Amino acid sequence: MPQMNVESFNLDHRLVKAPYVRVADIKRLPAGDVITKYDVRFTQPNIEHLDMPAIHSIEHSFAEYSRNRADNIVDFSPMGCQTGFYLIRVGEPDIEGTIELIAQTFEDILAATDVPAANEIQCGWGANHSLDGAKKAVRAMLDQRDTWTEVGV
C-alpha cells in the first residue's frame, strides 16, 4: 500500500491488539515545542466499536477531568471508526505518564454522577450521552490496563 500522510492510515489495523495506548505521532514545532499524539484504542478495529452516546460521554468526561490532572492537554477526540480516541499533549512522549493519566481519568469517570456539559447550552447534541455506556467502556479498558503497551504490531 502507498505511504499515506496520516500515520494511522499506515498502521495495519488487522495486526493490532486492542486495548492499547501508543504514541501515534510527534510534532516538533519551529519554536522548539513538541506535541505528542497518543492512540488510545478501546476496541479491536473492524471487529467491535463503541456506541456514539458512550463515545460522546467519554469525550466530554475525559476532556474535563484530565485537565484537573495535567496542564498539557491539547485535545481528546474520538476516532471516526469509533474504536478509540486521540489524546494530544504538549511535551516529549511519555507513555508511562500518559497511561497513568488515562487510568486516573478513567477512575474519575467511574466515580462521576453525571457527564460534564451534557446539555443543550454547552453541547451541540446534549441529549446524545450515556454515562452508563461510558463507564462500561472505561471499566473494560481499565480491566486490561496491564496490556496497554502491547500494541501487537
Side-chain angles (χ1 to χ4, degrees), residues 34-89:
V34 177
I35 298 174
T36 303
K37 176 179 166 184
Y38 298 89
D39 175 344
V40 182
R41 193 71 61 143
F42 277 64
T43 64
Q44 187 61 35
N46 298 301
I47 293 177
E48 56 187 336
H49 66 278
L50 300 170
D51 292 332
M52 281 309 298
I55 288 171
H56 197 185
S57 295
I58 294 167
E59 175 201 12
H60 273 234
S61 300
F62 195 97
E64 181 65 19
Y65 300 144
S66 65
R67 287 172 171 89
N68 293 334
R69 299 185 171 280
D71 62 359
N72 66 345
I73 307 296
V74 175
D75 193 33
F76 185 75
S77 300
M79 297 174 179
C81 61
Q82 298 176 235
T83 62
F85 298 81
Y86 288 115
L87 171 61
I88 302 172
R89 301 180 76 182

Side-chain angles (χ1 to χ4, degrees), residues 57-143:
S57 295
I58 294 167
E59 175 201 12
H60 273 234
S61 300
F62 195 97
E64 181 65 19
Y65 300 144
S66 65
R67 287 172 171 89
N68 293 334
R69 299 185 171 280
D71 62 359
N72 66 345
I73 307 296
V74 175
D75 193 33
F76 185 75
S77 300
M79 297 174 179
C81 61
Q82 298 176 235
T83 62
F85 298 81
Y86 288 115
L87 171 61
I88 302 172
R89 301 180 76 182
V90 174
E92 293 289 341
D94 176 10
I95 196 73
E96 293 83 15
T98 298
I99 284 174
E100 186 60 27
L101 169 69
I102 292 167
Q104 290 175 354
T105 304
F106 285 176
E107 292 292 345
D108 294 338
I109 293 170
L110 291 173
T113 57
D114 59 7
V115 176
N119 60 68
E120 64 183 35
I121 295 169
Q122 296 173 294
C123 178
W125 194 6
N128 186 41
H129 284 278
S130 172
L131 181 58
D132 289 340
K135 287 182 176 189
K136 181 179 175 185
V138 299
R139 171 50 55 209
M141 188 148 172
L142 269 174
D143 286 348

